[in-house]
Amino acid sequence: MTLRLGFSPCPNDTFIFDALVNKKIDTEGLDFEVMLEDVQTLNEWALSGKLDITKISYGVLPKILKTYIVLNSGGALGKGVGPLLVSKKENENFPIQQQGDLPRLKNERIALPGEHTTANMLFSIAYPEAINKKFLVFSAIENAVLSNEVDYGVLIHENRFTYQEKGLIKIIDLGEYWEQQTGLPIPLGAIVIKRAIEYTIQKKIDRLIKQSIEYAFEHYPQLTDYVKKNSQEMNEMVMRQHIDLYVNNYSIQLGSDGKAAVIKMMEWMNSNEQEQTVNQPLFLE
């Protein structure tokens, strides 16, 4: 049986799925047609139901629940892992040292990595008045800020580790803001599977993803060729920072507080975007 599987080329995802898709573990008769794409593309594909199993931003989850259910393994949640709002220079109306305040961004131009990303959702919680948004591929946001195409940018993935080298400054960690408001970890990305797939296959895939992560950790900090060849202009130190930040116990098993964080985020999205509640299980049991 061959299933279409999508995830990003970033080190956290390739680290998680390497053993599974390259059959370093027993896949129990399952094969995978792998598609590596940026998260916004994966979100758009999920809206159309293109893939059987896919990484998504939690920001798009309410819109795809009729088609997909959340797996317990393979996702990205955590504390201190949130998207960063950055600027080319310090906003003179918002000294960085005033951590208790937020800059006013009603009219400023903001670059974000996709309309349905968790980054956009977290930004919208902190800055509900901001309306002048521009959605770009995540890797283009640093340059958009540097070239004055936008005033601020929200960074995810490897750009979280490199923005200072480019002369950008952090205005706020949007993940920290979420944690202060909720006391819960930040739900960034989920692995979802089509509800139409047989339940026993869903359970098998959930278990195999967990095994794939455990295999990867058994051989860590070694970086496999699969991780290295798909990384975009990263040195090995940045790859390991990426993995250390985004792959953790929540990736192995969502757990009760991970699920509570997702439910809290869903409640916010449902109340603010008037999404229709789907009367089906949210998580694979």
Side-chain angles (χ1 to χ4, degrees):
M1 181 178 188
T2 300
L3 295 163
R4 293 165 298 171
L5 167 63
F7 52 89
S8 83
C10 295
N12 59 308
D13 282 350
T14 53
F15 178 84
I16 284 171
F17 287 101
D18 180 16
L20 179 69
V21 301
N22 293 306
K23 298 200 171 182
K24 297 176 181 179
I25 60 172
D26 180 5
T27 61
E28 302 178 25
L30 295 179
D31 294 303
F32 299 93
E33 178 186 348
V34 177
M35 300 184 185
L36 299 178
E37 289 289 347
D38 68 278
V39 68
Q40 178 59 12
T41 298
L42 294 173
N43 288 340
E44 291 169 359
W45 285 358
L47 289 167
S48 64
K50 179 174 181 176
L51 302 178
D52 299 307
I53 311 145
T54 184
K55 175 78 172 281
I56 61 153
S57 301
Y58 272 110
V60 80
L61 184 59
K63 299 178 183 297
I64 65 167
L65 278 175
K66 290 181 180 179
T67 306
Y68 292 96
I69 190 168
V70 178
L71 296 181
N72 293 288
S73 298
L77 293 89
K79 296 193 173 183
V81 300
L84 303 181
L85 178 68
V86 302
S87 179
K88 186 175 180 180
K89 61 181 180 179
E90 185 174 348
N91 185 311
E92 56 189 31
N93 296 319
F94 179 66
I96 294 173
Q97 51 268 32
Q98 293 181 3
Q99 294 293 334
D101 298 328
L102 297 179
R104 299 191 174 207
L105 302 179
K106 183 174 182 179
N107 297 311
E108 282 78 2
R109 300 165 300 168
I110 317 295
L112 293 124
E115 181 179 1
H116 301 300
T117 59
T118 306
N120 184 36
M121 190 277 301
L122 289 170
F123 177 80
S124 299
I125 291 176
Y127 302 104
E129 79 285 357
I131 57 174
N132 194 358
K133 298 179 179 181
K134 183 169 187 175
F135 299 111
L136 302 172
V137 175
F138 76 91
S139 55
I141 291 176
E142 279 183 337
N143 286 336
V145 179
L146 290 167
S147 65
N148 296 316
E149 182 182 340
V150 295
D151 303 302
Y152 295 86
V154 176
L155 302 183
I156 60 173
H157 298 326
E158 62 265 25
N159 303 116
R160 206 178 185 279
F161 307 109
T162 60
Y163 70 94
Q164 290 173 310
E165 299 170 8
K166 307 288 180 65
L168 299 175
I169 59 164
K170 180 179 77 171
I171 301 299
I172 187 174
D173 184 323
L174 295 168
E176 287 180 2
Y177 184 78
W178 163 268
E179 291 171 43
Q180 290 166 3
Q181 302 301 307
T182 67
L184 294 167
I186 311 145
L188 296 173
I191 305 299
V192 296
I193 189 169
K194 279 190 172 178
R195 294 181 185 270
I197 292 173
E198 184 182 342
Y199 177 72
T200 57
I201 301 298
Q202 293 177 345
K203 291 289 288 183
K204 180 188 289 190
I205 291 166
D206 203 17
R207 174 168 47 80
L208 289 174
I209 294 173
K210 181 180 179 182
Q211 290 178 16
S212 185
I213 301 169
E214 291 171 339
Y215 179 96
F217 273 128
E218 285 171 6
H219 296 83
Y220 193 63
Q222 175 185 345
L223 294 172
T224 66
D225 290 340
Y226 188 71
V227 172
K228 288 189 281 190
K229 76 178 182 182
N230 286 299
S231 298
Q232 300 178 11
E233 299 181 5
M234 285 189 224
N235 60 45
E236 291 195 5
M237 182 185 73
V238 174
M239 291 182 214
R240 290 190 180 93
Q241 285 178 319
H242 203 102
I243 292 165
D244 292 342
L245 191 64
Y246 294 116
V247 188
N248 52 36
N249 288 337
Y250 294 112
S251 305
I252 296 172
Q253 191 74 19
L254 197 52
S256 58
D257 56 338
K259 291 180 179 180
V262 175
I263 291 168
K264 184 71 174 179
M265 186 171 285
M266 289 284 292
E267 289 173 351
W268 184 88
M269 288 188 287
N270 288 339
S271 63
N272 286 272
E273 300 180 15
Q274 291 80 50
E275 295 290 350
Q276 295 297 314
T277 301
V278 176
N279 190 24
Q280 296 186 74
L282 179 58
F283 307 103
L284 183 67
E285 299 296 342

